[in-house]
Amino acid sequence: MWEFDTEVSEVIQRTPSVKSFRFPIRAKGVRYRSGQFFYITINTGNGTLEHHFSFSSSPTEKGHIEFTKRITSSKFSQTLAKMQPGARVHVKGPEGDFTLSRKFSQLAFLSGGIGITPLRSMLRYVVDKKLPYDIVMLYGNSSVEEIAFREELKAVSAAHNGVSVEHVLSGPNIPEGWKGKTGLINKDLVAELAPDYMKRLFYISGPPRMVLALEEQVVQLGVPETQIKKDKFIGYE
Ligand SMILES: Cc1cc2nc3c(=O)[nH]c(=O)nc-3n(C[C@H](O)[C@H](O)[C@H](O)COP(=O)(O)OP(=O)(O)OC[C@H]3O[C@@H](n4cnc5c(N)ncnc54)[C@H](O)[C@@H]3O)c2cc1C
């Protein structure tokens, strides 16, 4: 376990409602595995608040750690949204076992919206380390504008034979000429895009209700629970 004081070094607007926050690593021996999470304490001006977040950064990205959050109307979100580079925070971590498997090389990543964060961390790691995983990702969003890391996901799937990313738009604002999938991620879509699903280890991440819904679809296909890893973002809904 490590912990240290640091400051915001960069704020990146990922979508109209999602921002990434980066923090320089200000201690020795700071290690984590992609897919894990860490705790952050911020000062609201009226006391402190702590939340935990998946790393959206990968350990291959040196010098900083990053998390990515949907900005809501909560006090925590609103304080974060106003934070500028230089704002002091405290971080500690890492925790969690939503990490890359040593046993399975065929994986399926399912998520929607903000649930992308630990999956982005793992994808970045796999690509940077040129690891021989075969990954099919299905990523659901309401609109094209709300797809976080869109350009990066495009570049990653183009550059790495073992990675395919399919965007699924639920609408209502589906652009004319959209060639991708529409609706919600369901078992038929999983079976179509990953026909070898029985051989895959599934990673499902995001708000609890979404994780449950996606898990049900995968279970209906006959995939055993032992082949489903879940990361529930408690605090949403
Ligand atoms: C393992 C893990 C990884 C996560 N990763 C991400 C991520 O990458 N990006 C992201 O945006 N969010 C992530 N979350 C959720 C995050 O911790 C916040 O709970 C969420 O962002 C909601 O915060 P808020 O500011 O919108 O609302 P808030 O008003 O701060 O929270 C909404 C309600 O949930 C309660 N709550 C908040 N956090 C928790 C908690 N951790 N456990 C129990 N109750 C809680 C609050 O008391 C409040 O009642 C993760 C959660 C977990 C458990």
Side-chain angles (χ1 to χ4, degrees), residues 64-80:
H64 70 264
I65 55 175
E66 178 193 279
F67 76 84
T68 301
K69 165 133 184 60
R70 168 163 325 130
I71 304 301
T72 67
S73 58
S74 76
K75 185 159 192 184
F76 186 88
S77 268
Q78 290 303 311
T79 309
L80 261 187

Side-chain angles (χ1 to χ4, degrees), residues 53-234:
F53 296 97
S54 301
F55 292 91
S56 52
S57 52
S58 152
T60 47
E61 296 170 299
K62 301 289 180 200
H64 70 264
I65 55 175
E66 178 193 279
F67 76 84
T68 301
K69 165 133 184 60
R70 168 163 325 130
I71 304 301
T72 67
S73 58
S74 76
K75 185 159 192 184
F76 186 88
S77 268
Q78 290 303 311
T79 309
L80 261 187
K82 289 193 203 96
M83 280 168 97
Q84 297 293 331
R88 305 291 297 167
V89 302
H90 186 76
V91 292
K92 68 176 182 208
E95 272 187 32
D97 59 2
F98 191 75
T99 52
L100 285 164
S101 169
R102 296 202 170 96
K103 201 167 136 206
F104 286 82
S105 60
Q106 288 175 279
L107 313 178
F109 287 179
L110 308 185
S111 78
I114 194 62
I116 186 74
T117 53
L119 305 179
R120 186 270 167 189
S121 174
M122 287 190 269
L123 271 186
R124 183 79 264 153
Y125 189 78
V126 165
V127 169
D128 287 349
K129 292 277 190 186
K130 299 188 170 51
L131 299 178
Y133 284 101
D134 166 344
I135 302 175
V136 175
M137 175 190 259
L138 278 72
Y139 183 23
N141 279 285
S142 55
S143 65
V144 174
E145 293 71 37
E146 278 304 333
I147 302 176
F149 302 103
R150 184 167 179 228
E151 288 308 313
E152 181 177 344
L153 293 173
K154 197 168 153 193
V156 159
S157 51
H160 198 286
N161 277 341
V163 175
S164 81
V165 178
E166 186 76 31
H167 293 291
V168 185
L169 290 189
S170 62
N173 298 318
I174 297 172
E176 240 176 76
W178 170 253
K179 292 198 178 66
K181 303 288 182 191
T182 56
L184 296 175
I185 298 172
N186 61 24
K187 60 178 188 307
D188 296 337
L189 210 47
V190 173
E192 179 190 331
L193 298 168
D196 52 358
Y197 54 83
M198 288 304 285
K199 289 195 225 153
R200 292 185 181 264
L201 180 63
F202 281 79
Y203 289 73
I204 306 178
S205 57
R209 225 172 338 162
M210 193 198 75
V211 171
L212 186 65
L214 289 175
E215 182 188 9
E216 273 172 15
Q217 296 294 312
V218 175
V219 167
Q220 281 177 29
L221 285 173
V223 176
E225 284 286 352
T226 49
Q227 266 171 249
I228 308 175
K229 283 171 88 78
K230 289 161 283 183
D231 206 12
K232 292 187 187 146
F233 290 5
I234 297 160

